[in-house]
Amino acid sequence: AEAMRAMDLPGCLHYVFQKGLRIGKLVRNKMAFEKGSRLFYTAIHNIASGHFGKIQDKSLLIVGYSSLGKGLLDYFRKLGVAKISIATRYKEALAKRLVMLEEVHSRDLLCRWMEFDWILCAAQSDGYLIEGKGRKGQLILDLGVPRNVNPNIEGSVLWNLE
């Protein structure tokens, strides 16, 4: 939505770009889940480990609980990341299903995003969910299509992995 305001594209061209991004996301998810490949998760793990060294004691915020968010939660739980929180639109439904290894919050938690050591954004949103000033040493990986994180964020290290 913000990109459309920044540049006036014909509706048909905007539609083609959105479909292309959606198809790319579907292919990425099918490759990771149906074939059992963890290459995508391993890449995220390698980025985080390269940034922090040991990630097990770092606080992780997963924004969004789609199939990608579920996969990320399972993967990092198995790696022993102990402090995992989830910010989602569907807090009530998830809180009943998830074991107490993580905290489930509404998206209201996002006003405190700078308190987490690292953040994985994989939510559906028309606008940025993460904006403002982060802190030194913080890692943010934006997996959202369209972006969930303002690319002009300050202080944090931001990776955009569309």
Side-chain angles (χ1 to χ4, degrees), residues 9-86:
L9 290 176
C12 61
L13 191 55
H14 174 49
Y15 176 79
V16 169
F17 281 122
Q18 288 298 316
K19 284 294 180 186
L21 289 171
R22 183 165 174 76
I23 290 168
K25 186 176 177 182
L26 288 170
V27 168
R28 178 186 70 195
N29 287 341
K30 285 195 178 290
M31 301 252 331
F33 294 110
E34 289 184 2
K35 295 183 180 175
S37 169
R38 295 292 185 210
L39 292 177
F40 186 67
Y41 300 143
T42 302
I44 292 171
H45 178 223
N46 289 341
I47 291 168
S49 295
H51 184 80
F52 293 116
K54 184 179 176 186
I55 63 169
Q56 284 74 12
D57 62 341
K58 301 297 180 188
S59 59
L60 169 61
L61 173 62
I62 298 174
V63 181
Y65 197 68
S66 63
S67 58
L68 181 57
K70 291 174 193 171
L72 291 166
L73 174 64
D74 291 341
Y75 183 80
F76 287 107
R77 261 186 179 170
K78 288 176 186 167
L79 289 178
V81 176
K83 297 182 237 171
I84 301 176
S85 296
I86 299 168

Side-chain angles (χ1 to χ4, degrees), residues 131-144:
E131 294 187 273
K133 186 170 177 152
R135 60 181 168 83
K136 186 176 180 178
Q138 185 177 45
L139 176 65
I140 303 172
L141 290 98
D142 189 353
L143 312 172

Side-chain angles (χ1 to χ4, degrees), residues 71-121:
L72 291 166
L73 174 64
D74 291 341
Y75 183 80
F76 287 107
R77 261 186 179 170
K78 288 176 186 167
L79 289 178
V81 176
K83 297 182 237 171
I84 301 176
S85 296
I86 299 168
T88 178
R89 292 182 283 188
Y90 309 109
K91 176 190 173 201
E92 290 74 23
L94 285 181
K96 295 175 186 173
R97 288 191 283 161
L98 293 176
V99 183
M100 292 173 28
L101 291 176
E102 63 283 323
E103 298 178 40
V104 180
H105 300 272
S106 69
R107 283 191 179 171
D108 294 341
L109 176 67
L110 296 178
C111 66
R112 297 187 0 243
W113 64 268
M114 63 289 299
E115 296 174 10
F116 292 87
D117 295 316
W118 62 306
I119 302 167
L120 296 172
C121 290

